[in-house]
Amino acid sequence: MNSHRKITQGLPQFPESLWRDTTDLPAFPKLTEDISTDVAVVGGGITGITTAYLLSKAGYKVTLLEAGEILSGTTGFTSAKISAQHGLIYHHLLKHFGAENARLYYQSNNEAMNWILNTAEELEVSCGMKREAAYLYADAEDHKTLKQLEEEYQAYEQLGLPGEWLDNVSIPLMASGAIKLPGQARFHPLQYLKALLKVILEKGGVIYEHTMMADKVEKNDTLTLFTEKNDYRITCRYAVSASHFPFYDGGALYFSRLHAERSYCLAIQPETDFEGGMYLSASEPTRSLRAVEWEGRNLVIVGGENHKTGQGICTIGHYENLELFAGHLLGIKSIPYRWSAQDLTTLDKVPYIGKISGNEEIYIATGFRKWGMTNGTLSAQIIADQIQRKDNPYTELYDPSRFKAGASLKSFIVQNANVAKELVAGKVEIVHKKTSDLKADEGAVVFHDGKRVGAYKDPEGKLHLIDRTCTHMGCECEWNDGDRSWDCPCHGSRFSFDGEVLEGPASVPLTKLYE
């Protein structure tokens, strides 16, 4: 690596997604009355929009409801790789699901990828779509991960997947081996999904923003959903939860069967040319690379630094680690954007997609494990088929009610033991900082009026105090300095600096406190 490269350039002060900043999205009203529809789709990301698109085209009256703004969740903050290469997954699937199901996983995601490419072409969308190979690599000297990567390639060979083994890669990564999967793709996800929104509206679909759903459903001949605080009713034949944590889980306790992780991205203008390809390290800490075009310049999206939500120490440090990695690898002229995303993982690493139970017309899609472009599209296809009573070959594999004991039981115990630890730790935390110690644009847990509270002093010097007890199950939220948010370490709920809900499963804001 060239020692004369500029290693650091300076991070943007505030996080901002390249995708959202470069897409002029339409605005939609808040729901302010009772309504009736055929299908209520809750969640305005790739899953919800694609589901609404498919069912609108099939002649259903569809209503799409989003708690915030359309595409303001994970889809707006993705790295936007369209691929069936999902890290170290196929050896795991062979071991716990068998060869037939492992092939179905690849086949379903590969079909979803091709559906996205074909749909973009059909709608004549200019969304930076480009076919590229994906590479999964092990860091040099990481012998344990190299062995896992070799096992993964053996799974490719056993399943007949079109992967190739490489002893090294052509870009200057210190890699000891890699699996190349040709014919994958990258794109601008919001420009693509904006075109799907246009079709939904043309087909008579209705979209509402800033409409938070309550976790209550009345079931008679039809379903009745309720907005938060039971203000308004949505009567429908079918309900689809495409909102990460299901807004309604029918007693299935999905919050105990999913865990939330945050990951980080920088969009850098490199000093040296990046030849392309989509790279992901199998080693920890995770590193991800892909190119993107922006204002006539070639940028590289550098991602990684995964950690459980609310359990990242000094979250701005995760951005700084990516900056150092990118600087050493490519050099940095500028960093126009930085952002982070939240993803959910199931106990057995396979998403939950489909009917919540056999006799209810409520459908869920969640647990995409950072691969939402294909898994979100696949979810829409499975759910649209189920609503239309069409057979789908992938229904059983992704059935939300499954429980694979070998793959799930240990994860369930470890995951919920971690939740219990975090629940206790937040209640006994020793705090020395006071509100007077905070600088402008700084947040922290402070000791105020005899108790621990959350505090943030904005750039104008105004103090915002909140009770940091998560409104979902009572864990204590931690300050995320990288994104100016309060993050729950138990189940991944996130709140703004003044307590408004950013991510579920919580649906009620944190309590505001006053001096």
Side-chain angles (χ1 to χ4, degrees), residues 463-498:
L463 190 63
H464 303 265
L465 299 177
I466 53 93
D467 179 344
R468 64 193 185 100
T469 303
C470 180
T471 55
H472 174 231
M473 289 191 69
C475 293
E476 299 300 311
C477 296
E478 297 296 332
W479 177 247
N480 175 341
D481 60 337
D483 298 318
R484 276 73 164 187
S485 62
W486 293 101
D487 298 356
C488 177
C490 291
H491 300 111
S493 296
R494 296 181 60 242
F495 305 85
S496 66
F497 65 83
D498 58 352

Side-chain angles (χ1 to χ4, degrees), residues 221-232:
D221 293 336
T222 58
L223 300 171
T224 303
L225 316 184
F226 299 85
T227 59
E228 189 58 57
K229 299 179 183 177
N230 296 334
D231 287 336
Y232 301 106

Side-chain angles (χ1 to χ4, degrees), residues 100-101 104 107-108 111 382 385 390-398:
E100 181 181 354
N101 282 322
L104 287 174
Q107 182 178 309
S108 59
E111 287 178 6
I382 291 174
D385 280 350
K390 294 180 180 178
D391 291 334
N392 187 292
Y394 311 118
T395 296
E396 185 175 351
L397 172 61
Y398 296 100

Side-chain angles (χ1 to χ4, degrees), residues 163-381:
E164 304 169 28
W165 179 265
L166 305 175
D167 290 323
N168 49 57
V169 295
S170 57
I171 67 172
L173 288 165
M174 299 297 289
S176 58
I179 301 172
K180 176 184 178 181
L181 188 62
Q184 310 305 286
R186 61 175 173 87
F187 71 153
H188 190 309
L190 270 58
Q191 291 175 359
Y192 162 77
L193 290 165
K194 183 178 178 180
L196 270 62
L197 285 171
K198 183 172 181 288
V199 173
I200 293 168
L201 295 171
E202 289 172 350
K203 296 291 184 180
V206 180
I207 301 173
Y208 294 100
E209 294 180 319
H210 305 291
T211 303
M212 176 76 74
M213 302 306 299
D215 60 352
K216 175 184 176 183
V217 176
E218 286 184 357
K219 290 164 275 188
N220 295 302
D221 293 336
T222 58
L223 300 171
T224 303
L225 316 184
F226 299 85
T227 59
E228 189 58 57
K229 299 179 183 177
N230 296 334
D231 287 336
Y232 301 106
R233 297 174 173 231
I234 301 99
T235 303
C236 56
R237 294 163 58 197
Y238 312 95
V240 180
S241 176
S243 57
H244 264 211
F245 277 99
F247 76 93
Y248 169 82
D249 69 8
L253 304 179
Y254 284 102
F255 64 82
S256 69
R257 298 164 55 195
L258 294 156
H259 76 265
E261 287 192 0
R262 294 203 69 72
S263 54
Y264 300 80
C265 285
L266 303 179
I268 70 159
Q269 185 180 6
E271 285 190 337
T272 58
D273 289 339
F274 177 69
E275 65 181 45
M278 301 185 297
Y279 291 82
L280 178 69
S281 68
S283 302
E284 295 290 344
T286 304
R287 295 289 180 259
S288 168
L289 297 164
R290 60 147 289 188
V292 65
E293 293 73 39
W294 173 74
E295 295 186 350
R297 284 173 274 180
N298 294 319
L299 304 184
V300 179
I301 296 176
V302 184
E305 289 288 306
N306 307 334
H307 66 84
K308 280 194 173 183
T309 301
Q311 300 182 31
I313 300 172
C314 186
T315 49
I316 196 69
H318 296 295
Y319 290 108
E320 292 170 343
N321 290 339
L322 292 178
E323 181 185 15
L324 288 173
F325 168 77
H328 284 294
L329 181 68
L330 299 166
I332 298 174
K333 289 183 179 179
S334 65
I335 307 176
Y337 298 96
R338 68 174 176 93
W339 67 91
S340 66
Q342 183 142 309
D343 294 272
L344 299 178
T345 299
T346 68
L347 295 173
D348 58 22
K349 301 184 181 180
V350 173
Y352 300 136
I353 306 169
K355 260 192 178 186
I356 204 166
S357 65
N359 61 349
E360 295 187 65
E361 293 298 339
I362 303 173
Y363 301 79
I364 67 165
T366 187
F368 298 158
R369 199 174 141 265
K370 300 181 176 67
W371 299 104
M373 299 300 96
T374 54
N375 277 323
T377 301
L378 166 64
S379 297
Q381 293 171 317

